[in-house]
């Protein structure tokens, strides 16, 4: 069966290399995107700045033309020949402008036509250099009426070449300046001068275009939406004109906005021409922005290519360098798992890998120490078993012999001897416990009682004892010969030279723990011996039958580890107290029962 691929099967060096590569690639591409976005923004700002400059160049030419015809108008209305026309009669007949004015106008570059009207809109004289004929009466026009009624002396108007507003036969689109003519005598309005320029000539001058821009500049009339001048290669529709004016921020004097035009996505820059109704619009297509950003894009493409060529071998080398100590650690762990417990690592760095190496060395050292301690503990346990076996030399023979002594004493009426033999036999029987090392608390209490009854026969009324065991503690199992050696120590080492001694044993259960307290009011333990208990035990602690406090403590360590308490307190002529606390493990055989033994 083929093994399925998974990321967990990859070597750590491969994972680190892949992680470093992907991370650095993400960072690199993010930086590239950031740089490119900023470059596009800078290119857009630069292009917009140049676009404003170019649009201002175009509108500057138009503003100069407007200023120019203002000057011509001021000159014309002050001309004596025009003043004489209105001074003689308002019904002056004739179609020609005075020669002096004609000569002045022809010397100028912009002027397209001049028309003189009466205040009621009747054309008096005119001149048109584009061949337009038939000046039209203005008295019924809304624009003319509004101009004559307001307080303004001047007003601009764009007139399309297809219109018959000024001439019956009009041949040119024009920007007309209407100027009121005042009488020199009484300052009343005696006539109106209309002077026009051809808006198509506004773009005949050489305007410096930025090299990357397309020449898309045109002029629209804000009142009619008509095209006044056009330097684009396409026709501006009425719909486009309407959209343009809708985006000029309520006909603000200048600005910029984005829209979709005939050329696609476009940046539009606009500016009003002086105080006229005309606006100059300049298109900046998205292709122009691409031209500006082309150099930046090429640089980014080259940097990506170089990155892809160099980063893989570089990251591979770095990945192997980083994982070399880990491979060394892995090899050492393999050697350790094969049984070489003397393997050690030498990392001289203080980074995570160095700390990991030192942790491995500590683990190996502690493991070796644990093995040694376990081995020693097994030896000690074996020694304890040997001591137990030595204490049970041919136990069945001894048990049968004691029973024979008991029956012989009973036949002869020696009841004291029979009771002593019975107690001794029970002690031997319980201590054997069928060869098992664990015993119930109830049986251990029974063993202690038989022993104390034997000693009581020896000491008569000088020795008293009390054994109290709670019902919950009866079925708890404990190591054999734990309580009996403690009461034996009390008798053999605590009995005063004169007077009495009381031994009490109290056994209870509390919070899943068995609590054993053995107390006497005897001689007590000398301080020099007590200071070594229970941390270390001397030979002075060893008593009869080979069982001693040392043996009890070591067996508790073997069985319960750190989960037990073994405390001894004593004072000279104040008695001794032994306190044991171990986990309460219940005997499932049900041999336990209530135990309350008291013999004073």
């Amino acid at each position: 069966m083929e093994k399925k691929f998974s990321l967990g099967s990859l070597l750590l060096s491969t994972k680190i290399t892949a992680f470093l590569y992907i991370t650095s690639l993400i960072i690199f591409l993010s930086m590239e995107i950031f740089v490119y976005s900023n470059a596009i923004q800078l290119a857009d700002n630069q292009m917009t700045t140049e676009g404003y400059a170019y649009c201002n160049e175009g509108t500057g030419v138009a503003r100069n033309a407007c200023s120019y015809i203002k000057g011509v108008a001021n000159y014309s209305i002050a001309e004596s020949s025009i003043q004489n026309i209105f001074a003689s009669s308002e019904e002056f007949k004739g179609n020609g402008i005075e020669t002096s004015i004609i000569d002045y106008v022809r010397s100028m570059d912009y002027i397209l036509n001049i028309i003189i009207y009466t205040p009621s809109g009747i054309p008096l004289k005119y001149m048109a250099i584009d061949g337009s004929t038939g000046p039209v009466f203005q008295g019924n026009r809304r624009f003319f009426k509004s101009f004559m009624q307001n307080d303004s002396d001047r007003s601009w108007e764009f007139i399309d070449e297809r219109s018959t507003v000024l001439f019956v036969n009009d041949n040119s689109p024009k920007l007309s300046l209407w100027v009121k003519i005042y009488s020199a005598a009484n300052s009343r309005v005696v006539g109106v001068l209309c002077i026009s320029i051809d808006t198509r000539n506004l773009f005949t001058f050489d305007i410096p275009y930025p090299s990357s821009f397309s020449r898309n500049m045109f002029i629209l009339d804000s009142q009619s939406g008509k095209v006044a001048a056009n330097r684009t290669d396409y026709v501006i529709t009425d719909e486009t004109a309407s959209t343009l004016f809708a985006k000029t921020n309520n006909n603000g004097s200048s600005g910029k906005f984005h829209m979709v035009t005939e050329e696609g996505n476009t940046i539009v820059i606009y500016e009003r021409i002086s105080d006229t109704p005309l606006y100059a619009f300049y298109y900046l297509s998205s292709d122009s922005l691409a031209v500006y950003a082309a150099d930046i894009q090429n640089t980014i493409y080259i940097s990506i290519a170089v990155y892809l060529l160099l980063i893989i071998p570089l990251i591979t080398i770095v990945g192997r360098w980083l994982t070399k100590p880990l491979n060394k650690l892995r090899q050492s762990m393999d050697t350790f798992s094969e049984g070489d417990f003397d393997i050690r690592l030498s990392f001289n760095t203080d980074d995570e890998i160095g700390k990991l190496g030192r942790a491995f060395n500590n683990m190996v050292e502690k493991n070796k120490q644990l093995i040694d301690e376990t081995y020693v503990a097994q030896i000690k346990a074996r020694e304890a078993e040997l001591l137990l076996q030595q204490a049970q030399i041919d136990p069945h023979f001894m048990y049968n012999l004691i029973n024979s002594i008991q029956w012989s004493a009973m036949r002869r009426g020696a009841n004291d001897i029979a009771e002593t033999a019975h107690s001794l036999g029970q002690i031997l029987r319980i201590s054997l416990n069928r060869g098992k090392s664990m015993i119930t608390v109830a049986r251990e209490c029974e063993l202690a009682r038989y022993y104390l009854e034997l000693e009581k026969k020896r000491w008569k009324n000088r020795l008293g004892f009390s054994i109290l065991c709670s019902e919950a503690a009866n079925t708890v199992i404990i190591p054999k010969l734990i309580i009996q050696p403690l009461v034996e120590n009390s008798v053999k080492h605590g009995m005063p030279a004169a007077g009495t001694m009381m031994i009490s044993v109290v056994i209870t259960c509390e919070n899943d723990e068995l609590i054993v307290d053995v107390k006497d009011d005897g001689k007590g333990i000398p301080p020099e011996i007590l200071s070594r208990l229970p941390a270390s035990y001397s030979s002075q602690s060893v008593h009869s039958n080979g069982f001693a406090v040392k043996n009890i403590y070591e067996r508790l360590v073997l069985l319960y580890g750190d989960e037990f308490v073994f405390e001894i307190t004593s004072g000279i002529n104040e008695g001794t107290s032994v306190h044991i606390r171990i986990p309460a493990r219940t005997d499932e055989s049900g041999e336990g029962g209530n135990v309350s033994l008291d013999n004073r």
Side-chain angles (χ1 to χ4, degrees):
M1 182 180 294
E2 295 183 358
K3 183 182 292 184
K4 294 184 179 179
F5 173 78
S6 65
L7 293 178
S9 63
L10 295 176
L11 294 177
L12 182 59
S13 59
T14 303
K15 294 179 181 178
I16 293 178
T17 300
F19 173 76
L20 292 176
Y21 178 76
I22 294 173
T23 303
S24 60
L25 182 61
I26 292 174
I27 295 174
F28 179 80
L29 292 179
S30 299
M31 293 179 62
E32 293 285 5
I33 293 173
F34 175 77
V35 171
Y36 179 75
S37 299
N38 280 271
I40 291 296
Q41 184 63 42
L42 291 174
D44 180 74
N45 293 339
Q46 181 181 357
M47 186 176 66
T48 302
T49 300
E50 293 182 5
Y52 271 119
Y54 170 65
C55 189
N56 189 259
E57 288 283 346
T59 54
V61 173
R63 283 193 296 269
N64 290 337
C66 292
S67 297
Y68 177 74
I69 56 176
K70 286 180 182 179
V72 173
N74 291 334
Y75 172 81
S76 299
I77 61 176
E79 175 63 28
S80 59
S81 59
I82 292 181
Q83 290 292 328
N84 291 335
I85 292 174
F86 296 103
S88 60
S89 172
E90 291 187 4
E91 300 299 328
F92 177 82
K93 302 296 182 182
N95 293 328
I97 298 295
E98 296 300 322
T99 304
S100 60
I101 297 177
I102 293 174
D103 293 339
Y104 175 75
V105 171
R106 287 186 183 279
S107 65
M108 304 302 167
D109 296 323
Y110 286 99
I111 306 303
L112 183 63
N113 62 261
I114 294 178
I115 305 175
I116 300 173
Y117 296 92
T118 66
S120 61
I122 300 173
L124 298 178
K125 293 179 178 292
Y126 78 97
M127 179 202 73
I129 64 174
D130 64 346
S132 298
T133 58
V136 178
F137 172 69
Q138 300 293 316
N140 296 328
R141 285 187 64 217
R142 179 183 301 177
F143 173 83
F144 186 83
K145 289 179 179 180
S146 176
F147 173 62
M148 294 305 295
Q149 291 172 1
N150 62 38
D151 296 333
S152 176
D153 295 335
R154 305 172 189 273
S155 184
W156 292 96
E157 181 185 20
F158 171 72
I159 300 173
D160 190 14
E161 63 180 324
R162 295 167 291 180
S163 174
T164 58
V165 171
L166 290 184
F167 296 98
V168 175
N169 298 311
D170 199 341
N171 297 323
S172 305
K174 53 186 68 64
L175 178 64
S176 300
L177 176 63
W178 295 81
V179 183
K180 293 176 182 178
I181 303 173
Y182 291 90
S183 170
N186 52 23
S187 298
R188 69 184 181 86
V189 178
V190 295
V192 178
L193 173 68
C194 178
I195 182 169
S196 306
I197 59 174
D198 190 342
T199 55
R200 294 173 298 185
N201 293 333
L202 295 177
F203 287 151
T204 58
F205 293 90
D206 185 18
I207 301 174
Y209 286 90
S211 58
S212 61
F213 287 3
S214 57
R215 304 189 176 205
N216 292 338
M217 188 170 184
F218 53 89
I219 296 176
L220 294 179
D221 173 37
S222 61
Q223 296 175 346
S224 65
K226 302 296 183 181
V227 177
N230 192 352
R231 292 193 72 164
T232 65
D233 298 330
Y234 54 88
V235 176
I236 305 298
T237 63
D238 294 340
E239 181 180 359
T240 299
S242 176
T243 303
L244 289 171
F245 281 117
K247 290 181 174 290
T248 54
N249 298 325
N250 297 323
N251 291 336
S253 60
S254 64
K256 181 186 78 169
F257 56 85
H258 293 262
M259 67 174 289
V260 179
T261 65
E262 293 82 352
E263 289 195 347
N265 294 324
T266 308
I267 300 173
V268 179
I269 297 175
Y270 68 91
E271 187 173 359
R272 186 174 181 178
I273 300 174
S274 189
D275 56 349
T276 71
L278 301 184
Y279 280 77
F281 289 89
Y282 181 54
Y283 278 1
L284 301 173
S285 66
S286 57
D287 294 338
S288 301
L289 184 61
V291 172
Y292 263 77
D295 293 339
I296 299 174
Q297 288 177 312
N298 292 335
T299 302
I300 292 177
Y301 293 151
I302 293 173
S303 62
I304 291 177
V306 173
Y307 170 83
L308 294 176
L309 290 175
L310 297 180
I311 197 63
I312 294 179
L314 179 62
I315 289 182
T316 301
I317 294 174
V318 172
R320 290 180 178 177
W321 175 72
L322 290 175
T323 56
K324 183 178 180 181
L326 294 177
N327 289 330
K328 183 178 179 181
L329 176 61
R330 179 186 58 81
Q331 293 172 359
S332 299
M333 294 181 71
D334 291 340
T335 303
F336 175 77
S337 65
E338 293 173 358
D340 186 357
F341 301 141
D342 295 325
I343 188 69
R344 296 293 187 276
L345 290 173
S346 59
F347 289 148
N348 298 323
T349 60
D350 290 330
D351 56 8
E352 288 79 359
I353 296 179
K355 294 178 180 179
L356 187 62
R358 287 190 288 274
F360 173 78
N361 290 340
N362 292 335
M363 182 197 70
V364 173
E365 187 66 31
K366 289 182 178 179
N367 187 78
K368 184 177 180 181
Q369 182 179 355
L370 182 60
I371 292 175
D372 292 341
E373 291 177 353
T374 303
Y375 180 71
V376 172
Q378 290 177 348
I379 293 177
K380 290 183 177 180
R382 183 58 181 168
E383 290 178 349
E385 292 177 359
L386 290 175
L387 289 174
L388 183 62
Q389 290 176 0
Q390 291 173 4
Q392 298 175 352
I393 299 174
D394 203 2
H396 294 288
F397 169 77
M398 295 294 296
Y399 180 69
N400 293 332
L401 180 60
I402 291 173
N403 280 340
S404 297
I405 295 173
Q406 177 187 2
W407 286 107
S408 176
M410 290 178 66
R411 283 196 299 270
R412 297 182 182 183
N415 294 331
D416 291 342
I417 296 175
E419 290 178 1
T420 301
H422 174 72
S423 296
L424 184 60
Q426 294 302 314
I427 292 174
L428 183 60
R429 177 180 61 82
I430 296 173
S431 62
L432 292 177
N433 195 33
R434 301 175 184 175
K436 296 180 181 180
S437 61
M438 302 297 288
I439 192 172
T440 63
V441 171
R443 298 293 296 278
E444 182 73 8
C445 290
E446 186 180 0
L447 175 63
R449 179 179 66 83
Y450 282 123
Y451 170 76
L452 290 172
E453 286 180 348
L454 283 176
E455 291 293 341
K456 188 171 178 61
K457 292 181 181 298
R458 172 187 174 188
W459 296 101
K460 305 298 182 181
N461 294 330
R462 293 184 60 194
L463 176 65
F465 68 88
S466 172
I467 301 177
L468 299 176
C469 181
S470 67
E471 182 178 357
N474 284 334
T475 57
V476 176
I477 57 174
I478 59 174
K480 183 171 59 176
L481 296 177
I482 290 294
I483 299 176
Q484 187 275 332
L486 294 178
V487 298
E488 182 179 348
N489 275 352
S490 295
V491 173
K492 292 195 173 184
H493 298 281
M495 179 64 71
T500 63
M501 183 179 71
M502 182 67 182
I503 300 175
S504 66
V505 179
V506 179
I507 305 173
T508 58
C509 278
E510 181 181 329
N511 296 329
D512 296 328
E513 288 184 324
L514 180 71
I515 302 173
V516 178
D517 289 299
V518 178
K519 299 180 181 180
D520 66 62
D521 54 0
K523 294 188 297 183
I525 302 174
E528 63 274 12
I529 297 178
L530 183 64
S531 63
R532 297 194 295 270
L533 301 177
S536 62
Y537 299 97
S538 65
S539 58
Q540 298 181 45
S541 302
V542 180
H543 303 303
S544 65
N545 297 328
F547 294 102
V549 174
K550 178 180 179 181
N551 182 276
I552 295 173
Y553 182 82
E554 289 182 350
R555 284 189 291 143
L556 292 177
V557 171
L558 289 174
L559 288 172
Y560 303 108
D562 295 332
E563 298 180 358
F564 77 96
V565 175
F566 187 67
E567 297 175 342
I568 300 177
T569 57
S570 181
I572 298 299
N573 297 323
E574 294 180 359
T576 301
S577 175
V578 179
H579 175 77
I580 299 175
R581 185 185 295 265
I582 60 176
R585 299 171 184 173
T586 305
D587 176 27
E588 297 180 355
S589 64
E591 295 180 357
N594 292 331
V595 176
S596 178
L597 305 175
D598 192 352
N599 192 328
R600 300 179 185 273

